[in-house]
Amino acid sequence: MTGQHRHDLLDTASAAVVVGTDGSPASSHAVAWAAQTAADRGRRLLVVHGYDLAATRAVLGSYEVLVPSVVEHLREHGRQALESAERIAREEHPDLEVTTELSDRNPAELLIELSSTAHLVVLGATPGVGSFAHLGSTLLAVASQGSGRIVVARHNGVKQQVRRGGPVVVGVDGSPIGEPAIEAAFDEACARGAELVVVHAWSDLSEGQFAGTCYLQIPIAELETAEHALLSERLAGWQEKYPTVAVTRRVHLSGARKQLIEWSKSAQLVVVGSRGRGGFRGLLLGSTSNHLVQHAHCPVLVAHSN
């Protein structure tokens, strides 16, 4: 699927905001965020729950899974999760069109499939430190293998209001592979009537060193000039396409993760690409995207090229 074809699909009126739920506080927060976005844009909200009958069969064996009480328990839990999610969505948005889908499929596979035609796919995450294991296999699979735009809304353990103020912030690494993130960021800033802050760090290394050399020995002024020029090149055309979006540019010597985490404290959304400047297809997510999804203080949109 070409990038233009993908953009046309997510922009069609029928493209829903899709959110996965398992009944947890984190998924409830994701439902609230998704409902707000769908209501603001006049889109349908599709809430899905997959109870993964095949995985249960693998653990318990075919006989136990086929026992009606086991299957019905799985379905009942799913129905309750969907009913709770629908109540959350309608509490603030009584006129919102909400549909639900209960499936016996693996939830990650279900959401990845739906992402190919969705406006956005939204998932919740609980706070965690360290590896992606804290975020769960479903979130990892969807964020890394989904299509289009995947939003991860982290839950901080207390009841949260959906943040509607603040800028949309996008991390730009200067490589062509980052174009989907730039496009998504302009789209979101325009839809939200928000300022767009473009953050570019020319080095992935820690501040103070580059290839074993103290950064004071590097011609910083010349590098900054070159990086500003590169950023202007990457943004060329987008500001013409979105003339109403106010853009602020921030170029840093290093520390993309640190800068984006700091911005996430006041932003309503941070946008990142699915892979870093290396663009290695074998990687699940770029290191900066991985870090932001785990530690950002606001929802993070991971933009895929497909």
Side-chain angles (χ1 to χ4, degrees), residues 80-166:
Q80 290 179 4
L82 291 173
E83 289 171 2
S84 174
E86 186 170 358
R87 283 195 300 271
I88 291 170
R90 294 195 185 283
E91 279 177 5
E92 296 293 330
H93 314 285
D95 297 327
L96 178 64
E97 181 184 358
V98 182
T99 55
T100 61
E101 180 177 340
L102 178 63
S103 172
D104 64 3
R105 295 176 57 190
N106 175 282
E109 293 176 357
L110 178 62
L111 289 166
I112 289 170
E113 180 179 296
L114 289 170
S115 72
S116 65
T117 55
H119 178 68
L120 293 171
V121 171
V122 186
L123 300 95
T126 53
V129 178
S131 72
F132 237 128
H134 289 88
L135 298 178
S137 59
T138 296
L139 179 55
L140 171 58
V142 178
S144 60
Q145 300 172 36
S147 301
R149 299 168 186 177
I150 312 297
V151 176
V152 178
R154 293 180 66 249
H155 182 254
N156 63 13
V158 298
K159 185 175 177 59
Q160 296 168 260
Q161 296 295 318
V162 175
R163 188 186 299 175
R164 306 197 66 183

Side-chain angles (χ1 to χ4, degrees), residues 181-201:
I182 297 174
E183 180 180 26
F186 270 97
D187 271 352
E188 288 293 327
C190 183
R192 296 169 182 276
E195 174 193 10
L196 176 60
V197 176
V198 181
V199 177
H200 172 60

Side-chain angles (χ1 to χ4, degrees), residues 41-90:
R41 301 178 188 183
R43 293 187 176 275
R44 176 172 62 96
L45 178 67
L46 172 59
V47 188
V48 301
H49 174 85
Y51 56 87
D52 203 348
L53 188 59
T56 305
R57 180 181 289 116
V59 173
L60 299 180
S62 299
Y63 176 77
E64 287 81 358
V65 171
L66 292 175
V67 174
S69 60
V70 175
V71 177
E72 185 53 37
H73 175 75
L74 294 172
R75 289 175 178 161
E76 181 59 26
H77 172 73
R79 282 193 290 265
Q80 290 179 4
L82 291 173
E83 289 171 2
S84 174
E86 186 170 358
R87 283 195 300 271
I88 291 170
R90 294 195 185 283

